Amino acid sequence: MQGAADALVLIEDGALVVDGDGRIVYCGEFEKLPEDHDSWNVVDHRPGFLFPGFIDTHIHFPQTYAGDSYGGGQLLEWLNACIFPSESLFADPEFAREAAVAFCDRRVAAGTTQAMVFGSAFPHAQDALFEETRRRGLRVVSGRGVQTAGPDSAAALITSEDDAVRLVSEEIEKWHAADTGDVATAMLHVAVVPRFSLAVTTETLKNLGELYDSVRDRGVYFHSHLNENDRPGTGEVATTKEMYQVGSYLDTYDGKFLPGSAVGGKSFLGRRSILAHAVHCQDVELARMAETGTSIAHCPTSQQFLGSGTMPWKRTVASGVNVAIGSDFGGGDQFLLTQVLADAFKVHISEAGDDGISMHPAEMLFTGTLAGARALDMEDRIGNFDDGKEADFVVVDPRAWPPLQGVVEKGVRSEDPALARDQTLFALLMAMREPAISEVYVQGRRIDVS
C-alpha cells in the first residue's frame, strides 16, 4: 500500500498497445509509439480514460437478486430472514441459469474483470456460473458455499459431511483451470469456500482442510468470512468463539478449531487465501495473516449496510496484511467497485481521533486493482499496465455520465501538476457510475453486456 502515490502515472495523451495474444507490449505516450504504428488497428477513446480492470475480492453469486434486502437486524438476523431463503431459490436450475447471466451482466457493466465469487450451494448453479463466465470471456475464482450446520432457514443449503467434501472435490476436478488446462493461464479457478465457521462443524473444517492441503499445490484457493460482526453477546465473532471455545476467530481457519485453540487439522491460510471483512481482528490475527500471506477482502459498503463496524484502516495496513476491496454484494448494495472505494474513503476519514485517514486516490485505485491481483496471486498477470501483462482494462467516458463530465472538465485543479493529477483521479473514482464505463476488455478482447 505504501508507495502507491509515487507509483501513480497519468499519461494525458497515451497509448496502450496489445498484441495478438492479449498482452500489453507498450503503455506510454502516443507520440513515442514505434514508427510502424500506422499499420496497426487503432481505437481512439479520447476524451476517455483507461483504467486497469477492477478486481472484486468478495462478492456473492447466489445473492444476485438479494441486494438491498431488509431483514430487521444485523448480520445473523439478515441471513435468516433474507439471504438463506434467497439462496435456496437457486435449487431451480433455470433460475440459476438466469442468475448467472444477470450476474455476469452486472460485472461487465461495473468493469469488474476478475472476481473472487462466493458460490451457490447447488452444483448445477455453479456449473451455470462457470459456463456463463467462460462464454463471456471473463475471469472468475469461485467455489460452492459449504454448509453442514445452520438454522431451519438454511435447510436447503445444508449437506452431510461426506457430501460437503465430495461436492467440493468434484467442483475442483470439473472446473479448476478447465478452460486451458493450465492454472498459470486459466481464466477459471476454483476455491474451497466454507460459508463461515458458524455454518460448519469441526468435522467439516478437518475434512475440508485435508482436501485443501491435497490440492493447494494445484493453485486452488480458499475463501471465507472473518470477524465481520461483533455485536456484544450475540454477534458473529462472540458466537463463533463461544461455540468453538477458541481464542480467536482466525484459529478456526488455522487448524486450531478445538477447545482452547488446540490443533485439530490443517490450516487454510496462505498465499491464495482471502478472508472477507476482518473488521474486528485481534493483533495476533493480523500478524498471523501477514505471516502466512493471507489477504483481506475489505468490504466497507456492506459493513455500513449491516452495521458491522469499520475495519481500522491504519492498524490493518500497518500489520503488513495485503488489503484488497470487495463489494460483498448482496450484503453490499453496489457492484461498482469505485463506489465501494468511495465508501472506504468516507468511513476511514471518519474513524475516531488519530485513526482517521484521508485515503490517497492512488491508494484507492491500488486497492481496487493491483491489491486484488496480489490477493489472487495473479500480480504477474493482471492489475496494472506493465509490459507483458494480460490486457484487462476499462474505458471510462465522462461524456456518458454528465455529473462525471462536470467534475472532470470544470472542477478546480491545483497549479501543482502532481496534486492536479491526484484531484482528477479522485474525481473519477468518486463520481464514476456504470454508464460512464463505455467499454470493458479482458485479455485484449472487448466484453459486452449480453
Side-chain angles (χ1 to χ4, degrees):
M1 201 69 69
Q2 295 179 349
D6 294 335
L8 180 65
V9 176
L10 170 64
I11 305 171
E12 293 190 4
D13 187 18
L16 184 70
V17 181
V18 180
D19 68 13
D21 295 325
R23 293 188 177 274
I24 297 168
V25 294
Y26 175 84
C27 179
E29 296 177 13
F30 184 84
E31 64 180 22
K32 294 182 179 179
L33 280 171
E35 293 182 358
D36 63 348
H37 76 271
D38 288 342
S39 64
W40 299 350
N41 178 34
V42 177
V43 181
D44 188 351
H45 293 296
R46 292 176 295 183
F49 295 81
L50 269 59
F51 282 85
F54 301 122
I55 300 173
D56 192 337
T57 55
H58 184 59
I59 185 169
H60 290 257
F61 165 52
Q63 295 175 21
T64 298
Y65 301 124
D68 302 293
S69 295
Y70 174 68
Q74 296 185 356
L75 176 64
L76 298 182
E77 294 90 350
W78 171 80
L79 285 170
N80 286 326
C82 304
I83 298 307
F84 293 150
S86 294
E87 293 190 2
S88 298
L89 297 174
F90 281 63
D92 178 352
E94 182 58 33
F95 186 94
R97 283 192 292 270
E98 291 176 0
V101 173
F103 182 81
C104 290
D105 278 348
R106 295 205 65 180
R107 277 191 58 186
V108 175
T112 300
T113 53
Q114 172 63 299
M116 170 64 87
V117 179
F118 194 106
S120 170
F122 303 105
H124 60 257
Q126 285 299 97
D127 289 346
L129 173 65
F130 280 113
E131 287 164 358
E132 182 64 16
T133 302
R134 178 164 59 183
R135 185 183 75 82
R136 303 289 281 279
L138 291 166
R139 304 177 190 270
V140 73
V141 182
S142 185
R144 66 175 305 272
V146 176
Q147 288 189 249
T148 54
D152 291 343
S153 58
L157 310 174
I158 295 172
T159 66
S160 68
E161 302 287 356
D162 289 343
D163 282 348
V165 175
R166 177 182 62 82
L167 292 171
V168 173
S169 181
E170 289 175 356
E171 184 173 33
I172 293 168
E173 297 308 318
K174 184 172 185 177
W175 287 111
H176 190 56
D179 53 323
T180 68
D182 181 357
V183 69
T185 60
M187 306 271 278
L188 308 177
H189 296 83
V190 175
V192 175
V193 186
R195 182 175 206 111
F196 63 143
S197 294
L198 292 178
V200 294
T201 68
T202 55
E203 183 179 355
T204 313
L205 291 172
K206 181 178 185 296
N207 293 338
L208 288 179
E210 290 177 353
L211 172 62
Y212 186 59
D213 193 60
S214 73
V215 297
R216 188 190 288 263
D217 63 356
R218 293 171 54 187
V220 174
Y221 292 81
F222 172 75
H223 187 49
S224 195
H225 300 85
L226 175 73
N227 287 329
E228 181 175 0
N229 186 288
D230 195 26
R231 183 174 53 189
T234 60
E236 171 215 15
V237 178
T239 305
T240 299
K241 291 168 68 176
E242 180 181 358
M243 186 177 90
Y244 283 91
Q245 294 296 294
V246 291
S248 77
Y249 195 147
L250 185 69
D251 285 345
T252 63
Y253 300 133
D254 201 14
K256 306 170 186 176
F257 48 73
L258 298 181
S261 292
V263 174
K266 305 289 188 180
S267 175
F268 293 106
L269 307 185
R271 193 174 64 182
R272 289 196 170 202
S273 299
I274 300 176
L275 293 171
H277 303 294
V279 178
H280 305 285
C281 286
Q282 303 172 41
D283 288 344
V284 67
E285 293 175 293
L286 293 173
R288 179 62 175 156
M289 283 188 279
E291 175 190 8
T292 57
T294 302
S295 291
I296 290 171
H298 177 33
C299 307
T301 303
S302 74
Q303 285 152 24
Q304 293 179 91
F305 182 82
L306 293 171
S308 298
T310 300
M311 186 198 80
W313 183 262
K314 283 185 178 180
R315 175 170 159 262
T316 304
V317 170
S319 73
V321 181
N322 178 54
V323 180
I325 205 71
S327 67
D328 195 27
F329 193 93
D333 58 356
Q334 287 285 346
F335 260 75
L336 182 60
L337 285 182
T338 55
Q339 282 297 285
V340 180
L341 292 166
D343 284 343
F345 178 86
K346 294 167 190 172
V347 298
H348 295 308
I349 201 171
S350 301
E351 289 190 59
D354 292 339
D355 291 332
I357 182 172
S358 175
M359 293 178 69
H360 193 282
E363 195 173 25
M364 297 166 65
L365 180 62
F366 173 83
T367 305
T369 54
L370 194 57
R374 186 171 296 171
L376 292 167
D377 196 26
M378 293 185 180
E379 191 175 1
D380 63 333
R381 296 181 62 182
I382 56 176
N384 61 10
F385 292 143
D386 285 352
D387 286 358
K389 288 195 176 182
E390 296 166 30
D392 290 13
F393 62 96
V394 298
V395 181
V396 178
D397 186 351
R399 297 170 301 180
W401 182 245
L404 177 61
Q405 183 180 21
V407 297
V408 168
E409 295 182 355
K410 300 179 181 179
V412 174
R413 298 291 181 266
S414 171
E415 295 182 0
D416 174 60
L419 180 55
R421 173 204 65 190
D422 298 343
Q423 290 171 330
T424 297
L425 175 59
F426 187 75
L428 285 162
L429 293 175
M430 298 293 285
M432 189 187 306
R433 298 295 187 274
E434 278 93 340
I437 298 176
S438 60
E439 297 182 31
V440 178
Y441 291 81
V442 175
Q443 287 187 330
R445 298 187 299 269
R446 180 169 172 173
I447 311 295
D448 294 314
V449 174
S450 65

